[in-house]
Amino acid sequence: MTINPQPGANQELTVAQILAMQSVISGDTPRWSPDGSRIMFVSSLGGTADLWSVSPDRDFPQRMSLGMGDVSFLASRIPLWSPDGRYASYLSQKSGNDEVWLWPTNGAEFQLTHLGGQINSMNWSPDGRSIIVANNRHGSYDIYKVEVPSGESVRLTSDSRYEVNPVSTPDGQSILYVRMNESWEDHQIVRMNQDGSEPCVIVEDSDFFDYSYGGTFGYPLVSPNGDSALFRSQRSGFINIWNGPLNGGDPQSIAPEEADQSEPAWSPNGRLVAYVSNHNGTLSLRIADVRSGESRDIFSPPTGVCSAPQWSPDGNSISFMHGAPTAPNDLWVVSVEKQEARQLTCSIPAGSLQSRFAEPWKVEYQSFDGLKINAYLYAPRDRSEYTKYPGILFIHGGPTSQFMDDLQLQVQHLVQQGYVVLLPNIRGSSGYGKAFEELNDGDWGHSDLKDVLAGAEFLKGLDYVDADNMGITGTSYGGIMSMCAVCFTPGSFQAAAPMSGYADWPELRHEVELRHLKLMDHEFGPYEQNSEAWRRSSPIYTVGNATTPCFVLHGEGDEPHSNASRAFVHRMRQHYKTVRYKTYLNEGYYVRSTENLRQMFTDVADFFDYYLKGE
């Protein structure tokens, strides 16, 4: 396969310039104000998380509030307007725990809840007099109702199972929420009265593992007329959007397709549903007619990732996020009738940085058993026909995740440093159906690693790749695969840089938090009956085979996770293996701050330069 060089400047981008290409929008889905005049979002511009808003007519964003708290907790901010537009609500840890704060449009912000636990989901009641939340004060998530503005709270559920994602019906008479079983694989949508009485199960869904304890399944989205609710299900073999009647009957898929669907949103009149459709990492924005099942693209560029669709109150427009392999996420609006889209925010800094980023090619190759593996191929823009470049396999986290048409900052840095980088969606990845996703269950580091090795052979077949100098890296599951490559297939790579990886599953089960335990049980099976699979997938037990120089990196915090990497490094040193080790201050196990990312990107590139280029 021969790919022609792309035109562009020869000047190499610095790490600081690359890291400047981050979205100005962080946190949860941007939301329309009830009158349709503004769209609210969370931004960490300047290093502080605040509420901002922008007009759908494209004016400059305006700051709404000051000091939402530590930006490291942005993933759970959940900014929401009250139904009457009097308040903006959000989550903050300014008081130590997740609590709901209210920002009145005509006054000073104040803390509403004092529940003292973690809140993972919330919604307003239709009349704006209360907020319903899922809080874990008593050891598992339960549903609470909190009065506005007094903050008085009532606990509505007390099941030992996780109960999350509460929503009110439009008439305000009932609350729907999601209850998960002990393994987080089965879900029930439960309906109860506003006081918590008379709970009844209206939808049952099974065999859909929810690593985000409710976040994967999502909220049950009640239709505007209150007769049904949307939810995500994998029952067809792909994650599709289903519509379940509230008063009995079988759920129906609104627009069945062999693709994963996400983030559904009802139109105000209840006739249409907007959602995101994933085809080999390209995420397009679509709308479906609920009655006919007909669907169509409303924003579908050749490459890119759409997310977070929300209808305008008048139903004429949809706001959404859109990013691409050379551009961070920004807020857009598209008209439903004319399908004309306009960009409302701009995250790209000055200096023509975008034009100097590498555009990836989508490629595919066959693995050892004939399975087709889809991947992204990145190469330096201004390659010389007389130069061969070292190759790097970059592995995603998860494993139930995938590479998409989005901006990969560390990959862009490695390409700037003169590497050809392949990002494969190996077996176990999401986005290609449930059967593909389960192909590496109980077999981490073996069949999936063979997919990685087949990717390395693909790179070696390119005439501009140095086949004698190949590296591997990645974070979390990508770090695991890097460790597995070092120990299970010695010599297959000439350098490995596992970031925040894990090497000893039997030992790790005594240390990690519940979320990882649920994942391990789901992937390997319960330890008591499947201990051999746990051990077989743990590279630490075969360190003696290693011949590849290894650089282990992670944040200094989160002691149980840190022990996972520290033990691997200790075992490597016991066997006199070549290993470097570095941790980064003021982090959890994963490195997230811009300052530390800047240093880590540099450290990894320097390590590969030494072992793959001899520099």
Side-chain angles (χ1 to χ4, degrees), residues 68-298:
M68 290 174 63
D70 189 341
V71 297
S72 64
F73 298 103
L74 282 175
S76 61
R77 292 300 180 185
I78 318 179
L80 298 171
W81 290 98
S82 63
D84 57 9
R86 293 178 56 201
Y87 297 102
S89 63
Y90 61 88
L91 295 184
S92 174
Q93 292 200 346
K94 287 187 286 190
S95 59
N97 297 299
D98 275 341
E99 300 290 357
V100 179
W101 286 67
L102 297 184
W103 181 79
T105 55
N106 59 352
E109 62 184 354
F110 63 94
Q111 182 177 338
L112 176 70
T113 63
H114 297 80
L115 294 172
Q118 303 301 313
I119 296 173
N120 85 331
S121 47
M122 71 175 186
N123 260 304
W124 283 86
S125 63
D127 61 10
R129 296 179 180 178
S130 61
I131 291 177
I132 43 177
V133 304
N135 178 275
N136 70 345
R137 175 172 179 163
H138 295 287
S140 62
Y141 280 94
D142 295 306
I143 308 302
Y144 291 76
K145 185 177 181 180
V146 185
E147 297 300 320
V148 175
S150 70
E152 295 182 10
S153 62
V154 177
R155 184 182 181 186
L156 301 180
T157 68
S158 58
D159 199 290
S160 61
R161 293 168 292 181
Y162 275 33
E163 297 170 315
V164 294
N165 301 349
V167 298
S168 287
T169 53
D171 61 9
Q173 299 300 305
S174 302
I175 293 173
L176 272 63
Y177 63 91
V178 175
R179 177 193 291 152
M180 297 184 294
N181 72 339
E182 291 299 326
S183 65
W184 297 0
E185 294 174 327
D186 299 341
H187 300 79
Q188 297 174 331
I189 298 179
V190 183
R191 182 178 186 173
M192 65 180 175
N193 295 328
Q194 281 286 330
D195 61 1
S197 63
E198 301 182 20
C200 63
V201 176
I202 60 173
V203 170
E204 298 261 11
D205 192 72
S206 61
D207 198 21
F208 184 16
F209 179 62
D210 203 331
Y211 186 40
S212 300
Y213 47 97
T216 306
F217 186 79
Y219 287 87
L221 299 182
V222 184
S223 60
N225 65 7
D227 64 1
S228 64
L230 301 174
F231 64 97
R232 300 177 79 212
S233 175
Q234 211 171 15
R235 63 184 68 190
S236 69
F238 285 84
I239 302 173
N240 279 189
I241 308 301
W242 291 70
N243 193 23
L246 266 58
N247 296 316
D250 295 329
Q252 301 293 323
S253 177
I254 63 166
E257 61 175 335
E258 291 190 349
D260 281 356
Q261 301 169 345
S262 61
E263 302 181 276
W266 286 102
S267 64
N269 61 16
R271 297 175 183 173
L272 302 173
V273 172
Y275 63 97
V276 173
S277 180
N278 176 2
H279 289 269
N280 192 24
T282 300
L283 275 61
S284 58
L285 178 62
R286 296 180 63 84
I287 56 175
D289 186 297
V290 177
R291 294 180 180 177
S292 69
E294 295 180 358
S295 63
R296 60 183 174 91
D297 284 328
I298 190 169

Side-chain angles (χ1 to χ4, degrees), residues 1 363-365 377 422 453-462 465:
M1 177 180 181
V363 299
E364 60 182 53
Y365 61 88
L377 176 64
L422 188 71
L453 298 179
E457 292 303 313
F458 172 85
L459 278 188
K460 292 176 184 179
L462 301 178
V465 171

